[in-house]
Amino acid sequence: MTGYDPKADLQRYLQNARDAVVWKLDGASEYDVRRPLTPTGTNLLGLVKHLASVELGYFCDTFDRPSGIELPWYAEGEDPNADLSATAEETRQQLLDMYRSAWSLADATIAALPLDALGRVPWWPADRAEVTLHRVLIHMIAETARHAGHADIVRELIDGSIGIRAENTNLPDVDEGYWPAYRERLEAVAQQFARD
């Protein structure tokens, strides 16, 4: 394929997932972006903080390209989930800015290195800690897409907002009554398998 750039293709998929995560915060209140909506505390702003943190780790630390951004929530003695929620002192804007800074630093690493460049993930087991940029890109696409899915569900629980981006919900164009009826049909099928 003439002109095909696999690195640009991978980076485009990563950016699409990044954008989907950030869009899920648009128009949500400060309360709603912090609100834990699952038994394990999943919340929109925490997902942004986590993804910023892991991008800095995978694209900067792994390739010996220090970010200069402090991540105090990883300090010894911190709560093991401190990267998955915002403190009262951390603002939405600070965490979104950190995420966008992480993108910029990650994108600089991606631009500077070939896909077969070797790095070392210090928190992975020694037998698989050596990685290529290609593997890290695939890992971060999967990680970001997974959390974008979490954000999609959390935002739907907050106010019913759905889809992959504002201009494309990626859902069928149906009338307002469709979804409640659809859900009722699914529940009726599920009830056939409910245990007494």
Side-chain angles (χ1 to χ4, degrees), residues 14 26 29 54 62 77 100 103 107 109 115-116 145 152 164 166 179 181 183 187 192:
L14 177 59
D26 282 0
S29 71
V54 296
T62 294
R100 289 187 177 102
W103 298 357
D107 291 348
T109 296
L115 284 175
D116 62 354
D152 201 29
I164 59 173
W179 292 112
R183 189 183 182 290
E187 181 61 32
Q192 296 175 36

Side-chain angles (χ1 to χ4, degrees), residues 13-125:
Y13 275 89
L14 177 59
Q15 189 60 53
N16 287 344
R18 289 166 170 167
D19 291 339
V21 170
V22 169
W23 175 62
K24 291 300 169 181
L25 279 70
D26 282 0
S29 71
E30 285 303 312
Y31 168 67
D32 284 335
V33 297
R34 296 165 184 274
R35 222 170 124 188
L37 285 165
T38 69
T40 56
T42 304
N43 64 89
L44 294 172
L45 202 50
L47 291 170
V48 169
K49 182 177 178 180
H50 172 73
L51 286 167
S53 302
V54 296
E55 281 216 28
L56 292 169
Y58 281 110
F59 289 109
C60 296
D61 299 339
T62 294
F63 295 99
D64 198 24
R65 296 170 62 91
S67 70
I69 297 174
E70 302 257 343
L71 304 176
W73 42 90
Y74 286 143
E76 192 165 328
E78 287 294 322
D79 183 296
N81 282 315
D83 68 320
L84 286 159
S85 63
T87 65
E89 296 74 34
E90 293 168 333
T91 69
R92 176 196 316 224
Q93 195 59 55
Q94 286 171 326
L95 293 176
L96 285 169
D97 288 349
M98 183 179 73
Y99 193 24
R100 289 187 177 102
S101 292
W103 298 357
S104 179
L105 291 163
D107 291 348
T109 296
I110 294 164
L113 302 176
L115 284 175
D116 62 354
L118 292 177
R120 184 167 193 75
V121 181
W123 54 93
W124 282 11

Side-chain angles (χ1 to χ4, degrees), residues 170-187:
N170 202 35
L171 294 168
D173 186 17
V174 294
D175 65 48
E176 192 176 300
Y178 174 84
W179 292 112
Y182 175 71
R183 189 183 182 290
E184 283 180 30
R185 286 196 316 270
L186 296 181
E187 181 61 32

